[in-house]
Amino acid sequence: MEINALTWIITIAVIIGLLAFDYFFHVRKAHIPTIREAAIWSAIYVGIALVFGLVFFLFGDTQHAVEYYAGYVTEKALSVDNLFVFLIIMASFKVPREYQQKVLLFGITFALISRTLFILLGAVVISAWSDVFYLFGLFLLLLAGQQLKGEITGSDDHKDESDNVMVRLAKRVLPASEKYDGDRLFTWQNGKRMMTPMLLVMVAIGATDILFAFDSIPAIYGLTQEPYIVFTATAFSLMGLRQLYFLIDGLLDRLVYLTYGLSAILGLIGVKLILHALHENNLPFINGGENVPVQEIPTGLSLLLIVVILAITVVASLLSPKGKALIALQNAEKFSYRYTVLDESAPAEERREAAQKMDRWTQAAEDLSPKWRAELLDHKDKYSRVIRTAHETRLASAQSVGQDAPVSQRIVDQDGPTV
């Protein structure tokens, strides 16, 4: 497949068109996407990305097709990891859920722009100095080790993302209001023009996007050196990320081993980069400046290993004791919240079914081992707060009509407030 100026123009036009469609038809009117809406559009964007790869096969360009799919899967996995940080930032700024779509789409747009610049810069550096792959490989190995160390020690590198240097600088330039004014970026208070938290959260996400590009671009250049493949795989991995956020919102916390999987992928690509650098070696202090006869990792094998690692990561996360504990807590929270927001005019049968689901999952949360209950509730106080509020509401309702306390409420009271 010939990649010329026309190919670039058409591709960029398609991507800009997809972004414009999102801005004008999805986020212009603030709303919370339903699961059905998020699932349909996630499937559409993933479908577009997969079909795009088939174009290379149609032109008989199998090598670029495999490189594209390997890059797309890797970047998609890294993008899902980015969603964790976006979630932390938006929670820190208490972004109303109906406005989160707009924040996410801005983050995707900014990520696309910043990563495009890094892609072009990477292409220039690689063409000028091929041994840069040594640095790329070492950087990815160090990053994989750092992520693994953070997971083992339990340190949280993202806890201060909502108060980074860019946010502090923005606050110095313009005063910021404490309250949101719809989805506006600026508002007027006491005759003074001020930033809203909406602008600050976008600044925080934009600054974080730049940091993400440092591991994203070297990783994909380890799978292909064709800038067009790097750009398209990165762009299509970002498209649909907004819908994916709402689709797997509850699933994100359950992927407890995702960091291990991403560390393995980054480590694999780091090794692949160093082997490639050795094979194309020009450094005089390594083998006298001659190529080192090492076996490189084929891109097809890289793609297979990446898919296998991600599959193992997801399955292990969902079936692990910690993953099951999170499922119990999240469902207890979800059905407790649904019970509290039931309209007073709701039919008795509907209220009874809602209460049964709340009791069943609260019981499952109560049955968690002390280890997981202490660890998860210590980091997720929202679970205990939402669940307790729902059961207090139900207890008050039961006492007002002379009924016994629900079973789950008696369990909560018996051994102290565990959830």
Side-chain angles (χ1 to χ4, degrees):
M1 178 179 172
E2 182 183 0
I3 300 173
N4 51 33
L6 180 60
T7 308
W8 275 97
I9 292 172
I10 293 174
T11 304
I12 292 173
V14 169
I15 291 171
I16 291 176
L18 290 172
L19 279 174
F21 179 82
D22 257 358
Y23 272 105
F24 286 103
F25 293 97
H26 284 152
V27 304
R28 186 170 59 175
K29 183 178 180 181
H31 71 287
I32 303 174
T34 63
I35 293 295
R36 182 174 181 273
E37 176 186 345
I40 289 174
W41 283 105
S42 292
I44 288 174
Y45 279 113
V46 171
I48 291 173
L50 296 178
V51 168
F52 178 81
L54 297 177
V55 174
F56 295 104
F57 282 117
L58 292 177
F59 282 90
D61 194 350
T62 304
Q63 180 61 29
H64 277 161
V66 174
E67 290 176 358
Y68 166 78
Y69 283 123
Y72 173 75
V73 172
T74 301
E75 291 296 305
K76 199 69 174 178
L78 290 172
S79 296
V80 171
D81 188 44
N82 298 166
L83 287 180
F84 280 101
V85 184
F86 290 165
L87 184 64
I88 292 170
I89 292 174
M90 288 193 287
S92 299
F93 281 99
K94 297 181 174 61
V95 181
R97 194 160 175 80
E98 62 269 24
Y99 303 137
Q100 290 180 2
Q101 284 202 97
K102 188 170 185 177
V103 174
L104 286 168
L105 190 53
F106 167 81
I108 291 168
T109 305
F110 192 87
L112 187 56
I113 294 171
S114 61
R115 293 185 193 192
T116 299
L117 295 177
F118 275 93
I119 289 168
L120 296 176
L121 179 61
V124 171
V125 172
I126 290 171
S127 63
W129 185 40
S130 60
D131 290 307
V132 72
F133 287 116
Y134 281 117
L135 297 181
F136 282 178
L138 288 172
F139 174 75
L140 291 181
L141 288 175
L142 289 173
L143 186 63
Q146 184 182 27
Q147 285 200 351
L148 197 58
K149 178 183 177 183
E151 187 67 20
I152 293 173
T153 60
S155 63
D156 187 1
D157 294 333
H158 303 310
K159 60 183 178 181
D160 294 326
E161 290 292 350
S162 62
D163 190 32
N164 58 45
V165 64
M166 294 298 292
V167 173
R168 292 195 296 271
L169 182 61
K171 288 181 177 179
R172 287 185 181 182
V173 175
L174 283 174
S177 66
E178 296 293 330
K179 296 182 180 179
Y180 287 88
D181 185 6
D183 60 357
R184 295 180 179 87
L185 303 182
F186 293 93
T187 188
W188 289 88
Q189 287 188 0
N190 300 323
K192 295 176 63 177
R193 193 166 188 256
M194 308 180 74
M195 291 187 299
T196 66
M198 180 65 73
L199 179 56
L200 289 178
V201 71
M202 288 184 175
V203 171
I205 285 183
T208 306
D209 277 332
I210 296 176
L211 296 178
F212 287 153
F214 280 100
D215 60 351
S216 170
I217 301 308
I220 194 169
Y221 266 121
L223 299 168
T224 177
Q225 282 81 62
E226 171 55 57
Y228 179 77
I229 304 296
V230 175
F231 173 75
T232 51
T234 301
F236 283 116
S237 71
L238 291 171
M239 304 303 296
L241 198 60
R242 174 182 61 81
Q243 292 87 349
L244 187 64
Y245 172 85
F246 288 95
L247 181 63
I248 65 173
D249 188 5
L251 182 63
L252 283 176
D253 281 341
R254 300 179 197 173
L255 299 180
V256 293
Y257 297 131
L258 180 63
T259 300
Y260 291 106
L262 292 178
S263 295
I265 291 172
L266 292 175
L268 168 67
I269 299 174
V271 171
K272 177 178 169 62
L273 277 168
I274 291 177
L275 290 175
H276 176 74
L278 288 169
H279 193 267
E280 304 291 333
N281 178 64
N282 292 302
L283 296 179
F285 53 85
I286 298 179
N287 199 34
E290 299 295 326
N291 296 344
V292 180
V294 294
Q295 178 63 49
E296 294 194 66
I297 302 176
T299 305
L301 177 59
S302 300
L303 173 59
L304 177 62
L305 291 174
I306 290 168
V307 171
V308 170
I309 290 171
L310 287 176
I312 293 174
T313 299
V314 172
V315 172
S317 294
L318 296 180
L319 296 181
S320 70
K322 186 175 181 179
K324 291 179 179 179
L326 276 166
I327 291 173
L329 283 171
Q330 288 174 343
N331 281 334
E333 177 202 27
K334 177 175 68 176
F335 289 111
S336 295
Y337 175 74
R338 288 182 181 178
Y339 178 82
T340 60
V341 297
L342 272 178
D343 190 87
E344 293 183 359
S345 61
E349 180 64 20
E350 183 180 351
R351 299 187 68 84
R352 185 180 65 82
E353 290 181 0
Q356 286 177 345
K357 290 180 179 178
M358 177 177 68
D359 286 345
R360 179 162 65 89
W361 284 108
T362 300
Q363 179 69 65
E366 287 284 351
D367 291 339
L368 294 177
S369 69
K371 172 187 175 182
W372 297 123
R373 193 164 56 203
E375 177 181 335
L376 297 176
L377 290 178
D378 180 56
H379 291 87
K380 298 287 183 183
D381 182 61
K382 65 173 186 176
Y383 292 137
S384 56
R385 186 170 60 253
V386 172
I387 297 170
R388 191 188 315 281
T389 299
H391 283 283
E392 287 174 351
T393 300
R394 188 179 178 202
L395 177 62
S397 176
Q399 291 176 340
S400 67
V401 294
Q403 296 178 351
D404 291 335
V407 174
S408 59
Q409 183 64 42
R410 290 203 299 269
I411 293 174
V412 171
D413 290 339
Q414 181 179 354
D415 299 319
T418 55
V419 294

